[in-house]
Each structure stands twice: as structure tokens, then as C-alpha cells.
């Protein structure tokens, strides 16, 4: 009997010692080591890829898209459509975003795609003005008309065939921080006119903020909208 009790006590003691050692290793040493290495070698990425303006203030993350809209006429009207502030380069659409309706303690934006198929609302296999209201095709057609109207200026008219896909569709998350160089270039004349800048200045701005394919073959060329607009803000103040 005594042997049985002492064996049990030894097993419990061994288990508690193992628990203590593993808790210290996995719960203290390992997290501190990983955090230290991340901060030392990848400080920018470990802290959320923050982007700062010239004053050093954090204005966003290079990984998360932002909207550039005019203030609402009625801030309390949830149904009022957002109106883009045409002084700035505009990002991709965010049709998949929704509001938080689960935990009302927090004011959150839920990311996601539209979950509609590519031919949702298509007529004869194409997105036309006859697409049923509320379908993806209707959204694409409306977005295309808006892009043409917003970006056409007195000396520059946007052609329908020049509107790239990312100008009229949202990404899978609705939070894509980048746009294609084609979409950025399409906005150059409007941005120049709105900010009273020379078109050549804005063209150079876009060229300077165009990133090529990763390692030369992965992904597509892209322009980070937040970084581009920060540079635009600095240019307008210079």
C-alpha cells in the first residue's frame, strides 16, 4: 500500500515538474525568443507593416487598403452612399465589406468577398446595362460608368475599353491595398486637375510607386494606394 502511494506521489511530482518546465519553455522563453528575433530582424513586418507620414505619425498599414471618401452629409444615415474624394487616388472597390452585427461592443468592419459568381446577372454571357439590379454584373456596369465619369477631364476622356478589371471589382478580402499600374495611370489626369498639378508630375509619382513582380516572376506589378497618396500629399504641399 505504501509503495503504491509513494509511486503515485512520485508520478504526480514528475508530472508537475514537467508541466512547470514546459510552461516556462513554451509559455515564456519561446515567445520571448520569437518576439525578440522578430523585432530585431523584421521590426517593420512584426509591427504590422506600418506606414508613417513625414511627421512620423502612423497613417496606416501597407497591407490593408483604405477608402478616400468625402464626409457624409448625414453621419447618422447608414444608407447614404459613400462619395469618393476625387483629390486622391482611389483604391479597389470593397463590395464584400460588411458591418459588425454580432458583438456590438466593438465598431468593426468585416472583410470578405461578394460571394457572387462571375456571371451573376450576365445577359447572353456578358455584363450589360440590362443586368438585374443588385447582381454582380449590375455593380460592375455601374462601377465602370462611375470610373469613366469621375476620371474624364476637360482634356482627357476615359475610354470604356481602357478601364481595368480591378477598377470595377473588389478583391477577395475587400481590403486589397494595391491597384494595378493601369488603374493608377487612368486616374492621373483627374488627380492632377483636382490638385492643380502638372500631369507629368503625377505621372512620375505613379512611376516611382509602381512595384514590379516579386523576384521578377511572381504576382503582378502593383501600386500601393496609401503610399502613393502620402507622396501626393507631400507633393501638393511642396
Amino acid at each position: 500500500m505504501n509503495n503504491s502511494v509513494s509511486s503515485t506521489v512520485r508520478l504526480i511530482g514528475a508530472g508537475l515538474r514537467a508541466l512547470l518546465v514546459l510552461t516556462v519553455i513554451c509559455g515564456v522563453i519561446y515567445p520571448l525568443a520569437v518576439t525578440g528575433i522578430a523585432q530585431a530582424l523584421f521590426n517593420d513586418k512584426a509591427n504590422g507593416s506600418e506606414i508613417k507620414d513625414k511627421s512620423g505619425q502612423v497613417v496606416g498599414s501597407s497591407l490593408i487598403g483604405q477608402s478616400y471618401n468625402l464626409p457624409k452629409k448625414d453621419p447618422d444615415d447608414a444608407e447614404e452612399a459613400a462619395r469618393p474624394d476625387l483629390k486622391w487616388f482611389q483604391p479597389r472597390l470593397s463590395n464584400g465589406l460588411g458591418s459588425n452585427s454580432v458583438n456590438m461592443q466593438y465598431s468593426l468592419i468585416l472583410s470578405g468577398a461578394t460571394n457572387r459568381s462571375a456571371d451573376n446577372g450576365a445577359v447572353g454571357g456578358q455584363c450589360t446595362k440590362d443586368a438585374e439590379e443588385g447582381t454582380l454584373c449590375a455593380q460592375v456596369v455601374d462601377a465602370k460608368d462611375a470610373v469613366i465619369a469621375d476620371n474624364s477631364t476637360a482634356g482627357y476622356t476615359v475610354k470604356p475599353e481602357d478601364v481595368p478589371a480591378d477598377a470595377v471589382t473588389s478583391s477577395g478580402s475587400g481590403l486589397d491595398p494595391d491597384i494595378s499600374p493601369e488603374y493608377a495611370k487612368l486616374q492621373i489626369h483627374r488627380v492632377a486637375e483636382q490638385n492643380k498639378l502638372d500631369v507629368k508630375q503625377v505621372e512620375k509619382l505613379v512611376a516611382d510607386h509602381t512595384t514590379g513582380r516579386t523576384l521578377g516572376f511572381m504576382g503582378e506589378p502593383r501600386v500601393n494606394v496609401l503610399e502613393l497618396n502620402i507622396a501626393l500629399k507631400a507633393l501638393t504641399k511642396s
Side-chain angles (χ1 to χ4, degrees):
M1 182 69 179
N2 290 334
N3 289 336
S4 177
V5 171
S6 61
S7 297
T8 301
V9 171
R10 283 198 302 272
L11 288 174
I12 293 174
L16 290 174
R17 287 194 297 273
L19 175 62
L20 178 61
V21 170
L22 291 174
T23 298
V24 172
I25 293 175
C26 299
V28 180
I29 297 175
Y30 176 73
L32 287 176
V34 171
T35 301
I37 292 171
Q39 290 294 330
L41 301 181
F42 312 102
N43 182 266
D44 176 60
K45 292 181 174 60
N47 290 319
S49 299
E50 295 173 340
I51 294 180
K52 299 179 181 180
D53 59 16
K54 284 192 172 182
S55 66
Q57 180 180 358
V58 176
V59 294
S61 168
S62 63
L63 303 177
I64 300 177
Q66 296 186 18
S67 58
Y68 299 87
N69 297 325
L70 294 169
K72 283 188 173 184
K73 295 179 180 178
D74 181 2
D76 298 324
D77 185 3
E79 300 299 322
E80 182 182 340
R83 295 170 298 142
D85 188 343
L86 299 181
K87 292 191 309 181
W88 307 105
F89 284 93
Q90 292 297 314
R92 295 187 67 171
L93 299 177
S94 53
N95 292 335
L97 297 186
S99 58
N100 173 40
S101 60
V102 181
N103 187 343
M104 301 308 295
Q105 181 181 355
Y106 302 101
S107 177
L108 304 176
I109 293 178
L110 308 181
S111 68
T114 61
N115 293 327
R116 293 188 174 98
S117 64
D119 62 351
N120 177 243
V123 178
Q126 293 184 332
C127 287
T128 68
K129 294 184 180 295
D130 297 324
E132 183 181 349
E133 186 178 354
T135 61
L136 180 61
C137 276
Q139 292 178 358
V140 168
V141 170
D142 290 344
K144 189 171 186 178
D145 290 342
V147 167
I148 293 172
D150 289 345
N151 291 284
S152 293
T153 64
Y156 175 76
T157 301
V158 177
K159 300 177 182 178
E161 59 269 23
D162 291 338
V163 179
D166 63 312
V168 297
T169 58
S170 60
S171 63
S173 68
L175 297 171
D176 195 332
D178 303 319
I179 58 176
S180 66
E182 290 74 23
Y183 187 26
K185 291 174 183 176
L186 183 143
Q187 302 183 60
I188 286 174
H189 287 79
R190 182 253 301 161
V191 170
E193 181 181 76
Q194 291 285 327
N195 291 282
K196 296 179 173 55
L197 296 171
D198 185 77
V199 171
K200 294 293 184 184
Q201 288 180 290
V202 185
E203 284 179 343
K204 184 178 185 304
L205 209 62
V206 171
D208 290 344
H209 288 82
T210 299
T211 303
R213 291 180 172 88
T214 303
L215 299 179
F217 68 93
M218 291 192 295
E220 294 293 332
R222 59 200 179 276
V223 179
N224 187 284
V225 181
L226 177 56
E227 293 176 353
L228 180 60
N229 279 331
I230 291 174
L232 173 63
K233 184 178 180 179
L235 181 62
T236 58
K237 289 186 176 182
S238 62

